[in-house]
């Protein structure tokens, strides 16, 4: 069957799902050379269900007639679902897949509501307390994910998190959406990066609500969340930090409530040893020695597998210390990520006098002031 090209019209849902599309020159050239081999699926009134790009090419080539196949649907829900089904094999961006997924979910909800209303119209007695069956969300999301090529329902959940955040104006999510559309990252990696950014924002908000340490301290322990920038884009890396990180400049900008005579213990890693000395200089401290924590288990590493962590002892002024047999090495078990051994605090308390403060603390400790967004993280 043939229809006049100018008598046809695009379905409004097509633009909603796929946006304004630019036809590839090779696609138009193929239509010019071979004609339209697969008929367009259209309704009686000429609304195109499938074949929008072929129709656009026909218009561009000034083709008077195009082959069509007339299709009919029981209702608008079947029609909307058919548009997505016809486009199942086409290459789509992440955003186009998510637009399809949203549409299919809406179709499922409307079908459920129509069934509910139909049951009531048939005279089914409405209970005094309406007991709705639990929504089969897992079944629906798996069906939607498979229909639009997003794999499993779990993958769809992650994709939806990024998609919704981008629509709500989240800048990080919008940048991730651009990368997903270009195929420059995966759904799993984008989701993890978005979660980390949300955790960082929440941590900052929590820190802003905290009362800053009062007064000055003679002993300060700081374990900054050093930012591993070289792993920032690789959110699937197994050594990724499980907490929000800071740049070296952000760490340098911190105001340290140090007394005139103060001992500072600055934790760092092999990767940030050089930066740690610049941080100390900015904070006004002079490095004196390095304490090394030897762990009972081997960890990760780019060149060598790490089994040590370092803490630079630095001073400001002339603090008083009680030096007996304290060593530059401590041995302690490896526990949760970033948790320091109790042996370290025992060493500090045996050596240093005065008011004690731990910055970025993740556990309260008798006799110490603590400051950080996760002060109860390791509390027993």
């Amino acid at each position: 069957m043939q229809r006049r090209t100018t008598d046809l019209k695009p379905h409004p849902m097509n633009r909603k799902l796929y946006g304004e599309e630019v036809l590839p020159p090779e696609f138009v050239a193929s239509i010019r050379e071979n004609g339209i081999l697969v008929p367009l699926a259209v309704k009686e009134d000429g609304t195109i269900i499938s074949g929008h790009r072929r129709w656009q090419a026909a218009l561009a080539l000034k083709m008077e007639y195009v082959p069509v196949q007339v299709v009919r649907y029981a209702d608008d829900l079947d029609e909307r679902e058919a548009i997505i089904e016809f486009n199942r094999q086409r290459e789509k961006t992440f955003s186009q897949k998510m637009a399809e997924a949203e549409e299919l979910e809406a179709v499922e909800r409307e079908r459920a509501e129509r069934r509910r209303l139909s049951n009531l119209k048939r005279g089914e007695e409405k209970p005094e307390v309406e007991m709705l069956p639990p929504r089969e969300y897992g079944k629906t999301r798996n069906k939607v994910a498979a229909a639009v090529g997003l794999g499993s329902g779990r993958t769809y959940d992650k994709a939806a998190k990024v998609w919704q955040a981008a629509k709500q104006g989240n800048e990080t999510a919008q940048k991730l959406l651009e990368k997903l559309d270009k195929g420059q990252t995966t759904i799993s990696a984008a989701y993890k990066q978005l979660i980390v950014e949300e955790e960082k924002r929440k941590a900052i908000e929590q820190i802003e609500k905290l009362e800053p340490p009062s007064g000055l301290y003679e002993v300060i322990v700081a374990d900054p969340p050093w930012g591993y920038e070289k792993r920032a884009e690789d959110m699937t890396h197994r050594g990724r930090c499980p907490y929000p990180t800071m740049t070296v400049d952000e760490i340098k900008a911190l105001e340290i409530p140090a007394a005139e005579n103060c001992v500072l213990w600055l934790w760092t890693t092999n990767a940030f040893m050089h930066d740690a000395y610049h941080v100390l200089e900015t904070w006004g401290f002079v490095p004196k020695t390095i304490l090394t924590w030897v762990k009972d288990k081997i960890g990760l590493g780019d060149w060598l597998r790490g089994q040590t962590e370092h803490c630079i002892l630095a001073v400001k002024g002339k603090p008083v210390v009680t030096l007996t047999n304290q060593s530059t090495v401590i041995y302690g078990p490896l526990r949760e990520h970033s948790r320091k051994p109790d042996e370290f605090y025992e060493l500090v308390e045996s050596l240093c006098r005065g008011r004690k403060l731990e910055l970025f603390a993740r556990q309260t400790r008798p006799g110490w002031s603590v400051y950080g967004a996760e002060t109860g993280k390791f509390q027993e």
Side-chain angles (χ1 to χ4, degrees):
M1 181 185 296
Q2 298 277 325
R3 280 279 185 94
R4 191 179 296 273
T5 306
T6 54
D7 288 345
L8 303 180
K9 57 186 176 183
H11 197 290
M13 203 177 91
N14 190 74
R15 179 177 293 180
K16 176 183 175 183
L17 295 179
Y18 308 113
E20 293 288 349
E21 297 185 281
V22 177
L23 294 179
E26 58 272 18
F27 179 81
V28 177
S30 175
I31 296 292
R32 179 188 292 112
E33 182 178 350
N34 304 308
I36 296 177
L37 303 179
V38 179
L40 284 66
V42 303
K43 294 168 61 177
E44 291 282 5
D45 66 356
T47 301
I48 302 170
I49 298 296
S50 173
H52 289 83
R53 295 199 300 171
R54 281 166 278 160
W55 174 66
Q56 287 178 299
L59 288 175
L61 295 170
K62 295 182 170 34
M63 296 172 62
E64 187 175 359
Y65 291 93
V66 293
V68 301
Q69 176 185 2
V70 177
V71 292
R72 301 174 181 86
Y73 300 98
D75 55 33
D76 66 303
L77 297 183
D78 284 351
E79 181 180 307
R80 288 155 62 187
E81 198 169 43
I83 291 175
I84 295 173
E85 179 61 30
F86 271 116
N87 284 283
R88 180 185 285 267
Q89 300 302 322
R90 70 176 288 181
E91 186 175 342
K92 288 168 281 191
T93 66
F94 172 80
S95 293
Q96 290 171 338
K97 290 180 180 180
M98 289 307 300
E100 287 184 338
E102 276 193 338
E103 189 68 28
L104 286 178
E105 277 212 87
V107 166
E108 290 294 323
R109 287 194 298 268
E110 290 180 41
R111 279 206 176 106
E113 179 63 11
R114 290 183 186 183
R115 285 195 298 268
R116 186 183 73 83
L117 294 175
S118 177
N119 289 337
L120 292 177
K121 287 179 180 178
R122 285 202 299 266
E124 292 184 2
E125 185 177 349
K126 188 175 181 179
E128 293 182 8
V129 179
E130 188 173 3
M131 299 295 290
L132 294 177
R135 181 186 177 200
E136 293 185 288
Y137 178 70
K139 185 177 179 180
T140 298
R141 69 177 185 175
N142 285 331
K143 176 181 177 181
V144 169
V148 302
L150 286 173
S152 67
R154 181 175 296 180
T155 300
Y156 174 43
D157 283 345
K158 294 178 180 179
K161 176 78 173 178
V162 179
W163 174 252
Q164 292 299 331
K167 289 174 66 175
Q168 293 167 8
N170 184 300
E171 292 185 5
T172 298
Q174 289 172 344
K175 291 178 181 177
L176 290 170
L177 187 60
E178 291 179 10
K179 289 186 176 182
L180 285 165
D181 281 339
K182 296 176 181 177
Q184 295 174 344
T185 188
T186 65
I187 291 173
S188 181
Y191 170 78
K192 289 178 181 179
Q193 187 169 343
L194 181 64
I195 293 300
V196 168
E197 290 297 323
E198 287 186 356
E199 290 174 351
K200 184 172 184 177
R201 176 184 57 78
K202 291 177 182 177
I204 292 173
E205 290 176 353
Q206 188 172 344
I207 282 287
E208 289 175 344
K209 296 176 183 177
L210 296 176
E211 289 292 331
S214 59
L216 302 177
Y217 294 82
E218 287 77 27
V219 184
I220 299 176
V221 170
D223 182 22
W226 300 99
Y228 285 79
E229 288 87 354
K230 66 179 178 178
R231 296 292 188 187
E233 297 301 319
D234 184 8
M235 303 307 293
T236 61
H237 180 61
R238 63 177 180 161
R240 181 180 62 85
C241 291
Y243 49 76
T245 61
M246 297 174 66
T247 66
V248 173
D249 286 339
E250 287 173 333
I251 295 171
K252 286 180 179 180
L254 295 172
E255 295 184 10
I256 307 301
E260 183 179 352
N261 300 302
C262 178
V263 176
L264 172 68
W265 302 81
L266 178 62
W267 283 99
T268 186
T269 62
N270 290 334
F272 285 94
M273 184 66 74
H274 179 80
D275 298 288
Y277 281 98
H278 288 296
V279 169
L280 289 172
E281 183 180 9
T282 302
W283 287 355
F285 283 82
V286 178
K288 292 298 182 181
T289 190
I290 298 176
L291 174 71
T292 298
W293 168 25
V294 180
K295 306 174 184 181
D296 61 338
K297 297 176 183 177
I298 196 169
L300 305 175
D302 286 331
W303 290 89
L304 299 175
R305 298 284 297 278
Q307 197 171 350
T308 58
E309 195 168 337
H310 309 289
C311 186
I312 304 175
L313 188 161
V315 302
K316 179 180 180 182
K318 296 181 179 180
V320 177
V321 296
T322 306
L323 181 61
T324 54
N325 63 345
Q326 295 92 343
S327 169
T328 56
V329 173
I330 57 171
Y331 297 89
L334 176 63
R335 297 181 290 183
E336 297 91 339
H337 191 105
S338 82
R339 188 175 186 179
K340 301 303 180 280
D342 294 332
E343 290 82 356
F344 165 71
Y345 297 96
E346 293 170 2
L347 182 149
V348 174
E349 290 171 353
S350 72
L351 184 67
C352 303
R353 303 177 186 177
R355 297 183 73 211
K356 297 177 176 63
L357 168 68
E358 183 172 12
L359 299 174
F360 304 101
R362 297 177 179 88
Q363 180 178 342
T364 59
R365 196 171 299 278
W368 288 70
S369 297
V370 294
Y371 185 74
E374 302 176 306
T375 53
K377 184 175 180 65
F378 300 140
Q379 211 64 36
E380 297 177 352

